[in-house]
Coordinates of all heavy atoms in Angstrom, one line a residue:
R51 N 112.1 92.0 129.9 CA 113.1 90.9 129.8 C 112.4 89.5 130.0 O 111.5 89.4 130.8 CB 114.2 91.0 130.8 CG 115.2 89.9 130.9 CD 116.3 90.1 131.9 NE 117.1 91.2 131.5 CZ 118.0 91.8 132.3 NH1 118.2 91.3 133.5 NH2 118.8 92.8 131.8
L52 N 112.8 88.6 129.2 CA 112.3 87.2 129.3 C 113.0 86.5 130.5 O 114.2 86.5 130.5 CB 112.5 86.4 128.0 CG 112.0 85.0 128.0 CD1 110.5 85.0 127.9 CD2 112.6 84.3 126.8
V53 N 112.3 86.0 131.4 CA 112.8 85.4 132.6 C 113.0 83.9 132.4 O 114.0 83.3 132.7 CB 111.9 85.6 133.8 CG1 112.5 84.8 135.0 CG2 111.9 87.1 134.2
K54 N 112.0 83.2 131.8 CA 112.0 81.8 131.6 C 111.7 81.4 130.2 O 110.8 81.9 129.5 CB 110.9 81.2 132.5 CG 110.8 79.7 132.5 CD 109.6 79.2 133.3 CE 109.5 77.7 133.2 NZ 108.4 77.2 134.0
W55 N 112.6 80.5 129.7 CA 112.4 80.0 128.3 C 111.5 78.8 128.3 O 111.7 77.9 129.1 CB 113.8 79.6 127.7 CG 113.7 79.1 126.4 CD1 113.5 77.8 126.0 CD2 113.9 79.8 125.1 NE1 113.5 77.7 124.6 CE2 113.7 78.9 124.1 CE3 114.1 81.2 124.8 CZ2 113.8 79.3 122.7 CZ3 114.2 81.5 123.5 CH2 114.1 80.6 122.5
C56 N 110.5 78.8 127.4 CA 109.6 77.6 127.3 C 109.7 77.0 125.9 O 109.4 77.7 124.9 CB 108.2 78.1 127.6 SG 107.9 78.6 129.3
D57 N 110.1 75.8 125.9 CA 110.3 75.1 124.6 C 109.0 75.0 123.8 O 108.9 75.0 122.6 CB 110.9 73.7 124.8 CG 112.3 73.8 125.2 OD1 113.0 74.8 124.8 OD2 112.8 72.9 125.9
E58 N 107.8 74.9 124.5 CA 106.5 74.7 123.9 C 106.2 76.0 123.1 O 105.4 75.9 122.1 CB 105.5 74.4 124.9 CG 105.2 75.5 125.9 CD 104.1 75.2 126.9 OE1 103.0 74.9 126.4 OE2 104.4 75.2 128.1
F59 N 106.7 77.1 123.4 CA 106.4 78.4 122.7 C 107.4 78.6 121.6 O 107.2 79.5 120.7 CB 106.4 79.6 123.6 CG 105.3 79.5 124.7 CD1 105.6 79.9 126.0 CD2 104.1 79.0 124.4 CE1 104.6 79.8 127.0 CE2 103.1 78.9 125.4 CZ 103.3 79.3 126.7
A60 N 108.5 77.9 121.6 CA 109.6 78.1 120.6 C 109.4 77.3 119.3 O 110.3 76.7 118.8 CB 110.9 77.8 121.2
V61 N 108.1 77.2 118.9 CA 107.7 76.5 117.7 C 107.1 77.6 116.7 O 106.1 78.2 117.1 CB 106.7 75.4 118.0 CG1 106.4 74.7 116.7 CG2 107.3 74.4 119.0
S62 N 107.6 77.7 115.6 CA 107.1 78.8 114.7 C 105.8 78.4 114.1 O 105.4 77.2 114.0 CB 108.2 79.0 113.5 OG 108.2 77.9 112.7
A63 N 105.1 79.4 113.5 CA 103.8 79.2 112.9 C 104.0 78.3 111.7 O 103.1 77.5 111.4 CB 103.2 80.5 112.4
L64 N 105.1 78.4 110.9 CA 105.3 77.5 109.8 C 105.5 76.1 110.2 O 104.9 75.2 109.5 CB 106.6 78.0 109.0 CG 106.9 77.3 107.7 CD1 105.8 77.5 106.7 CD2 108.2 77.7 107.1
Q65 N 106.1 75.8 111.3 CA 106.3 74.5 111.8 C 104.9 73.9 112.2 O 104.6 72.8 112.0 CB 107.3 74.5 113.0 CG 108.7 74.7 112.6 CD 109.6 74.9 113.8 OE1 109.5 75.8 114.5 NE2 110.6 74.0 113.9
K66 N 104.2 74.7 112.9 CA 102.9 74.3 113.4 C 101.9 73.9 112.2 O 101.2 72.9 112.3 CB 102.2 75.4 114.3 CG 102.9 75.6 115.6 CD 102.2 76.7 116.3 CE 102.9 77.0 117.7 NZ 102.3 78.2 118.4
S67 N 101.9 74.8 111.2 CA 101.0 74.6 110.1 C 101.4 73.3 109.3 O 100.6 72.5 108.9 CB 101.1 75.7 109.1 OG 102.4 75.9 108.5
N68 N 102.7 73.0 109.2 CA 103.2 71.8 108.5 C 102.8 70.5 109.4 O 102.5 69.5 108.8 CB 104.7 71.8 108.3 CG 105.0 72.5 107.0 OD1 105.1 72.0 105.9 ND2 105.1 73.9 107.1
E69 N 102.9 70.7 110.7 CA 102.5 69.6 111.6 C 101.1 69.3 111.5 O 100.7 68.1 111.6 CB 102.9 70.0 113.0 CG 103.0 68.8 114.0 CD 103.6 69.2 115.3 OE1 103.7 70.4 115.6 OE2 103.9 68.2 116.1
K70 N 100.2 70.3 111.3 CA 98.8 70.1 111.3 C 98.3 69.6 110.0 O 97.2 69.1 109.9 CB 98.1 71.4 111.6 CG 98.2 71.9 113.1 CD 97.5 73.2 113.3 CE 97.7 73.7 114.7 NZ 97.1 75.1 114.9
K71 N 99.1 69.7 108.9 CA 98.6 69.3 107.6 C 98.4 67.8 107.4 O 97.9 67.4 106.5 CB 99.6 69.9 106.5 CG 99.4 71.3 106.2 CD 100.4 71.8 105.2 CE 100.3 73.3 104.9 NZ 101.4 73.7 104.0
G72 N 99.0 67.1 108.4 CA 98.9 65.6 108.3 C 100.0 65.0 107.5 O 100.1 63.8 107.3
C73 N 101.0 65.9 107.2 CA 102.2 65.3 106.4 C 103.2 64.9 107.5 O 104.3 65.5 107.6 CB 102.8 66.4 105.5 SG 101.6 67.2 104.4
E74 N 102.8 63.8 108.2 CA 103.7 63.4 109.4 C 105.1 63.0 108.9 O 106.0 63.3 109.6 CB 103.0 62.3 110.1 CG 101.6 62.7 110.7 CD 101.0 61.6 111.5 OE1 101.6 60.5 111.6 OE2 99.9 61.8 112.1
N75 N 105.1 62.2 107.8 CA 106.4 61.7 107.4 C 107.3 62.9 107.0 O 108.5 62.9 107.3 CB 106.2 60.8 106.2 CG 105.5 59.5 106.5 OD1 105.6 59.1 107.7 ND2 104.9 58.9 105.6
E76 N 106.8 63.9 106.3 CA 107.6 65.1 105.9 C 108.0 65.8 107.1 O 109.2 66.3 107.1 CB 106.7 66.0 104.9 CG 106.4 65.3 103.6 CD 105.7 66.3 102.7 OE1 105.6 67.5 103.0 OE2 105.3 65.9 101.6
Y77 N 107.2 66.0 108.1 CA 107.5 66.8 109.3 C 108.6 66.0 110.1 O 109.5 66.6 110.6 CB 106.3 67.0 110.1 CG 106.6 68.1 111.2 CD1 106.7 69.4 110.8 CD2 106.7 67.7 112.5 CE1 107.0 70.4 111.8 CE2 106.9 68.7 113.5 CZ 107.1 70.0 113.1 OH 107.3 71.0 114.1

Side-chain angles (χ1 to χ4, degrees):
R51 173 178 294 169
L52 183 70
V53 175
K54 181 182 178 182
W55 179 274
C56 293
D57 289 332
E58 62 179 305
F59 298 140
V61 181
S62 69
L64 186 62
Q65 290 172 296
K66 291 177 183 176
S67 64
N68 276 266
E69 195 172 11
K70 290 178 181 177
K71 282 178 182 176
C73 307
E74 296 182 2
N75 293 334
E76 292 184 10
Y77 193 70

